[in-house]
Structures are given as C-alpha cells and as structure tokens.
Amino acid sequence: CIYEYGFPGIKLNGAQNSFYIDDPDISIPLIEDIAEAGAVLALHVGADAYEYTHPFRVAKIAELFPEMQILMVHMGGAAVPDLSESAIEIARGNPNVTIIGSAVAAKQILKAIKTLGASRVCFGSDTPFALMHVEKAKYDALLDGEVTPNEKMQVMGGNIARILGL
C-alpha cells in the first residue's frame, strides 16, 4: 500500500484482528517495514480489546521506533475500562506519539490537549460508527474558549496534514 498506492501510513487493529500490537513475531516485523518506508503507523488503542491494544504496548513500539510517527487512534477510550489516562501518559513520554481523539470522552480530549499541547492531538470522528457532523460539533464546542484559533486549526486538521505530509 505504501509503495504501490502511495499511502502515507498503515493502521494496525489488534482488537479487530486479535493480535498484540507489539507482538515480536507478527507486528514488529511489519512495523519495521513501515518505519523503513518512512510511513506513519496508526494503531487502534481501545478498551474494547485492551490486552491486545493497551497504551503500554504503544510505548514499547514508540521506544523501538523513536523516529517513526505513531498515531494512537481512540486514545484508549470508547469502552470500559477507559484507558485514556494511560494513553495521555504514554504520549507524554513519547514525543513521536500523537493522539487521535475519536470514540473517547470530550473531557479526556481536552485533558490531552492541556497535557500534551495542541500540536499532539488530532480531531477524530470514528465515522461511520459516529456521525461526523455531531463529532465536529462536539469538538467545536469543546475547543471554544479553551484553545487559541491557531491551536484549534492544528487539532482540527493541521496536525494530521503535517504528520501525513499532506
């Protein structure tokens, strides 16, 4: 996908496909290829299959590949237990990790922005599972008065465009 179709990155979903995102035999060789290609790695990080996709597994990957940009999609939310606190902590310690705030509580998205800075958080809708216009309205209401207009532009599209080289 990277070489033939020009994809800027690849997403791995251990929850959907039942594998540990940091598995040394399954995931890490593929992640090595993604890193060698200079592409971005996106990881499903949700409580729906937290053993496979726990934020601590992202930390292992981020430390193995410090030059690779990693997107932490869902930041550990959307189910019980909510792992968003762990996701924020992992991102704080790994500057190559950026959080995508999809399928997670609004308060946790704001906490991530306040903790990591607006340049480390991206809008996420989780469409088609959530309604795009509702999620956009949520972010508009959430960010109003909490961040500068420039920071809002970063979160709402500037960061992902920068990371993906768009």
Side-chain angles (χ1 to χ4, degrees):
C1 292
I2 295 167
Y3 296 113
E4 190 171 332
Y5 299 110
F7 282 28
I10 303 292
K11 180 181 179 189
L12 302 181
N13 188 338
Q16 183 179 42
N17 303 114
S18 301
F19 65 92
Y20 297 98
I21 58 173
D22 62 341
D23 185 285
D25 298 318
I26 296 172
S27 305
I28 298 303
L30 179 57
I31 294 169
E32 286 174 351
D33 290 343
I34 295 167
E36 281 181 27
V40 175
L41 174 64
L43 296 166
H44 173 97
V45 179
D48 54 342
Y50 63 87
E51 282 298 321
Y52 290 133
T53 66
H54 196 284
F56 293 131
R57 295 188 182 283
V58 177
K60 292 179 187 178
I61 296 166
E63 290 165 11
L64 284 172
F65 303 96
E67 301 302 317
M68 182 170 55
Q69 287 295 310
I70 299 172
L71 300 173
M72 191 183 312
V73 182
H74 311 306
M75 64 183 281
V80 175
D82 181 344
L83 303 173
S84 57
E85 294 286 335
S86 295
I88 294 168
E89 190 63 31
I90 294 306
R92 182 190 310 202
N94 294 280
N96 57 327
V97 174
T98 299
I99 286 178
I100 308 262
S102 59
V104 67
K107 286 172 57 175
Q108 294 307 97
I109 295 167
L110 189 58
K111 182 173 184 174
I113 293 169
K114 298 296 184 182
T115 302
L116 304 170
S119 67
R120 303 275 307 284
V121 179
C122 297
F123 166 79
S125 69
D126 206 26
T127 297
F129 305 107
L131 299 172
M132 175 70 77
H133 70 282
V134 173
E135 294 302 306
K136 167 83 167 58
K138 175 177 92 173
Y139 268 80
D140 286 340
L142 176 68
L143 299 177
D144 187 39
E146 295 288 342
V147 300
T148 68
N150 183 55
E151 289 171 325
K152 182 178 179 181
M153 286 175 38
Q154 288 179 306
V155 171
M156 296 305 292
N159 293 334
I160 197 70
R162 172 181 45 80
I163 291 166
L164 296 178
L166 303 175

